[in-house]
């Protein structure tokens, strides 16, 4: 006998588990199927984000930042550390414990919200009267029937042609987060989000890091004034970033990896490293979903085709997160999951794609929302720009971290905020105020008139807003 559900969610990452919880909150009988296994073979819901992405990378970024501070910056505060040492295996074990807390947290939330969890791989079997039959293979062998299906199967790292991931010498995000010793020389292909975050972790711990980036511009999607400031900081820290390169043959040996590459000037070079991380983007994951059994439409990249409401070509089948169009961000997946659950329940869930924040958790952090200056120029929008450097912020001086700035872009005629771009301390937290302001369609004057606590980094946001009107008070 098959088990019947109102909603079956395939995938327990941030898109899937949040959709399952929201649908259950709205009174639906919900199942969530996820196959991720922990080291003991038990369930590890939370997807890439929890297991090999957002959460573990932040754990290692924090540990490595502590080490960097103790090694180089405590002395400025009059603190001397003798006999400082670092145990990479222990750092990784701590990271694993943080991941487990999050896995267990999701299992607890499923129980609390009465979501039925199945540990295994789900695939479409066939369409049936009023729904779809889903097979679960793995620890739980089941046949489920759901009236509504939400596919949230995420994405996988894209491999470099001719250099398959072995997670020992050629690493994806998974291997990059599991190294238990610091490589002497580390190479990375791609200076995107993962390249910069992982490059930062292992540089702080002592690796000599070289990043080979195909595009001539550093962080092309980021506001270029902010990207230039970040580039300067990273190079000063010791990250070697080569732009506009063409990566050639990758030779994997027992002791290292050799990458042939051509520089922007056309010089043929070789990069010899102990480990190579390939971080050149991710591809949607529909492997084993058996989409063809029900005629679920995929595009040429393998992403599930959806409309603006995450509805697929099949009635009652929805898809959210990395497996569909749009940025591959955990919080975008969560918002889509909530909106779909609400639509299924007859509500009017909505995701505002114009106010999705981006964060790169390097040091300095980079965070932004809305359009960049180069996008506004390309769109022919008349705008005013205001910037404020952390160098002139009292809290940043006290913290000893004055790198970077807040930059605000507002419509020249209406003063509506069109984008905010931050590079500097706690940019990941500062951006929240700007997202809210844009969601409420605030003007730069609105932010300029709001009382911000002193001393705080957030005063830089207020000052950037004042700068739009050319009337900063502290610069
Ligand atoms: P990415 O799209 O951020 O960066 C990939 C980089 O590789 C680009 O700069 C691209 O120009 C370069 N590239 C592509 N092919 C190349 C080649 N053959 N040779 C040299 N360079 C090449 O992708 P990344 O860093 O792999 O991250 C994957 C996804 O994970 C992204 O969508 C990102 O948003 C997400 N993510 C988000 C995080 C966050 O929100 N903090 C953290 C980590 C990942």
């Amino acid at each position: 006998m098959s088990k019947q559900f109102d909603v079956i969610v395939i995938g327990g990452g941030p898109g899937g588990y949040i959709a399952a919880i929201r649908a259950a909150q709205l009174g639906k009988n919900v199942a969530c199927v996820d196959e991720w296994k922990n080291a003991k073979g038990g369930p590890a819901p939370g997807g890439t984000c929890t297991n090999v992405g957002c959460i573990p990378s932040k754990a290692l970024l924090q540990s490595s930042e502590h080490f960097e501070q103790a090694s180089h910056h405590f002395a400025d505060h009059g603190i001397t550390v003798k006999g400082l040492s670092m145990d990479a295996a222990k750092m990784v074990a701590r990271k694993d414990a943080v991941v487990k807390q999050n896995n267990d947290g999701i299992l607890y939330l499923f129980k609390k919200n009465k979501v039925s969890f199945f540990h295994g791989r789900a695939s479409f079997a066939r369409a049936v009267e009023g729904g779809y039959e889903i097979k679960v293979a793995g620890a739980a062998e089941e046949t489920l029937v759901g009236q509504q299906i939400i596919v949230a199967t995420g994405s996988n790292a894209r491999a470099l042609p001719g250099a398959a991931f072995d997670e020992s010498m050629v690493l994806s995000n998974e291997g990059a987060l599991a190294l238990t010793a610091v490589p002497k020389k580390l190479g990375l292909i791609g200076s995107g989000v993962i390249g910069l975050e992982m490059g930062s972790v292992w540089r702080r711990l002592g690796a000599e890091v070289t990043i080979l980036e195909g595009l001539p511009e550093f962080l092309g999607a980021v506001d270029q004034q902010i990207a230039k400031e970040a580039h300067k900081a990273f190079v000063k820290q010791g990250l070697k970033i080569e732009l506009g390169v063409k990566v050639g043959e990758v030779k994997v040996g027992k002791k290292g990896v050799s990458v042939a590459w051509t520089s922007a000037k056309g010089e043929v070079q070789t990069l010899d490293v102990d480990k190579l991380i390939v971080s050149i983007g991710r591809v949607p994951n529909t492997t084993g979903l058996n989409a063809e059994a029900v005629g679920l439409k995929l595009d040429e990249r393998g992403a599930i085709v959806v409309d603006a409401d995450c509805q697929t070509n099949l009635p009652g089948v929805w898809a959210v997160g990395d497996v569909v169009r749009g940025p591959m961000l955990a919080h975008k997946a969560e918002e889509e999951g909530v909106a779909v659950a609400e639509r299924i329940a007859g509500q009017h869930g909505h995701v505002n794609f114009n106010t999705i924040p981006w964060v790169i958790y390097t040091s300095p952090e980079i965070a932004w929302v809305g359009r960049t200056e180069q996008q506004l120029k390309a769109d022919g929008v008349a705008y005013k720009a205001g910037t404020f450097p952390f160098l002139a912020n009292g809290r940043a001086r006290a913290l000893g971290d004055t790198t970077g700035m807040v930059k605000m872009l507002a419509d020249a005629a209406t003063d509506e905020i069109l984008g905010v771009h931050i590079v500097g301390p706690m940019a990941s937290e500062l951006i929240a105020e700007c997202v809210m302001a844009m969601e409420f369609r605030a003007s730069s004057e609105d932010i300029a008139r709001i009382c911000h606590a002193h001393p705080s980094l957030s005063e830089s946001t207020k000052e950037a807003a004042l700068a739009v009107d050319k009337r900063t008070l502290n610069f």
Side-chain angles (χ1 to χ4, degrees):
M1 258 296 277
S2 56
K3 292 183 176 153
Q4 309 278 324
F5 291 93
D6 298 333
V7 181
I8 299 174
V9 183
I10 303 178
Y17 91 77
I18 289 290
I21 290 173
R22 185 69 188 122
Q25 281 177 346
L26 292 167
K28 300 292 175 190
N29 177 21
V30 184
C32 181
V33 190
D34 188 273
E35 66 168 340
W36 210 296
K37 292 190 187 83
N38 61 26
K40 291 182 181 151
T48 297
C49 163
T50 302
N51 291 295
V52 290
C54 318
I55 301 298
S57 63
K58 261 78 271 172
L60 288 187
L61 278 157
Q62 193 60 49
S63 299
S64 60
E65 182 62 17
H66 283 323
F67 184 67
E68 171 106 339
Q69 289 292 327
S71 312
H72 303 293
H73 304 295
F74 277 10
D76 298 342
H77 296 260
I79 302 168
T80 313
V81 184
K82 287 210 178 92
L84 183 70
S85 70
M86 186 266 307
D87 179 343
K90 188 160 182 191
M91 268 182 206
V92 170
R94 175 189 172 273
K95 177 260 316 179
D96 291 339
V98 173
V99 168
K100 179 147 192 328
Q101 282 168 2
N102 283 272
N103 296 142
D104 292 348
I106 296 167
L107 291 171
Y108 159 78
L109 290 170
F110 281 158
K111 274 211 181 86
K112 182 182 163 205
N113 289 282
K114 301 192 174 48
V115 171
S116 303
F117 175 69
F118 295 91
H119 188 208
R121 171 176 283 246
S123 59
F124 282 100
R126 62 195 171 105
V128 292
E129 178 82 26
Y132 297 87
E133 189 177 282
I134 303 292
K135 283 250 176 277
V136 182
E141 298 275 346
E142 299 274 359
T143 302
L144 315 178
V145 170
Q147 283 174 20
Q148 305 272 334
I149 311 295
I150 304 175
V151 183
T153 44
S155 60
N156 294 316
R158 186 156 79 86
L160 192 69
F165 295 117
D166 58 17
E167 303 302 356
S168 155
M169 305 305 282
V170 181
L171 316 174
S172 70
N173 53 305
E174 298 201 23
L177 289 162
L179 288 171
T180 48
V182 183
K184 204 164 165 302
K185 289 189 173 182
L186 176 67
L188 292 102
I189 315 279
S191 70
V193 188
I194 295 181
L196 291 171
E197 290 188 4
M198 287 301 97
S200 294
V201 165
W202 296 108
R203 180 204 58 75
R204 290 171 193 163
L205 299 179
E208 194 183 304
V209 176
T210 306
I211 310 182
L212 302 178
E213 165 60 46
L215 291 177
E217 262 175 0
F218 180 64
L219 289 176
V222 176
D223 187 280
Q224 282 302 290
Q225 190 178 358
I226 297 294
K228 283 201 175 79
E229 193 77 13
H231 186 261
K232 220 167 40 189
F234 297 148
V235 170
K236 199 167 150 207
Q237 288 164 6
L239 276 184
K240 224 169 146 206
I241 305 170
E242 301 286 351
L243 300 172
V245 314
K246 198 165 165 3
V247 174
E249 198 188 352
V250 177
K251 284 193 196 138
V252 184
K254 283 215 170 64
K255 289 200 171 140
V257 183
S258 175
V259 183
W261 61 284
T262 311
S263 75
K265 287 185 191 147
E267 298 147 340
V268 180
Q269 316 228 16
T270 308
L271 175 69
D272 290 308
V273 289
D274 301 309
K275 304 276 178 189
L276 181 73
I277 297 174
V278 176
S279 47
I280 56 170
R282 299 179 64 82
V283 287
N285 171 32
T286 51
T287 320
L289 192 60
N290 204 17
E292 47 301 343
V294 286
L296 180 64
K297 200 169 156 196
L298 310 182
D299 69 12
E300 63 289 347
R301 291 181 319 125
I304 297 175
V305 177
V306 288
D307 65 12
D309 286 345
C310 294
Q311 170 78 61
T312 69
N313 65 312
L314 302 175
V317 180
W318 311 75
V320 301
D322 285 11
V323 78
V324 305
R325 82 280 171 272
M328 289 185 172
L329 297 172
H331 43 282
K332 174 263 193 185
E334 288 180 31
E335 294 304 315
E336 286 182 333
V338 167
V340 164
E342 292 179 349
R343 283 174 203 133
I344 287 173
Q347 298 187 352
H348 302 280
H350 176 70
V351 182
N352 183 356
F353 286 97
N354 297 323
T355 54
I356 293 175
W358 283 81
V359 180
I360 307 179
Y361 293 84
T362 41
S363 178
E365 290 184 345
I366 305 167
W368 71 98
V369 59
R371 280 184 281 178
T372 60
E373 197 164 351
Q374 63 265 23
Q375 279 172 329
L376 291 175
K377 278 191 180 136
D379 294 347
V381 177
Y383 63 91
K384 297 175 287 182
T387 56
F388 187 80
F390 285 108
L391 201 62
N393 175 278
R395 183 79 195 277
R397 287 186 194 133
L399 282 174
D401 190 356
T402 53
T403 317
M405 69 178 93
V406 179
K407 171 173 180 175
M408 191 173 289
L409 300 165
D411 188 283
T414 65
D415 194 33
E416 179 174 347
I417 300 171
L418 302 174
V420 185
H421 307 272
I422 308 175
V423 53
M426 303 307 278
S428 56
E429 301 294 332
L430 294 173
I431 203 67
E433 176 188 12
C434 310
V435 174
M436 189 163 72
M438 283 189 63
E439 193 63 50
F440 289 152
R441 301 196 62 180
S443 62
S444 77
E445 188 186 347
D446 287 326
I447 298 267
R449 287 189 181 277
I450 291 172
C451 179
H452 288 68
H454 176 76
S456 70
L457 296 170
S458 72
E459 287 174 289
S460 301
T461 308
K462 178 187 173 115
E463 288 278 4
L466 285 165
V468 170
D469 200 29
K470 298 195 173 35
R471 55 187 182 96
T472 47
L473 295 164
N474 284 288
F475 188 62

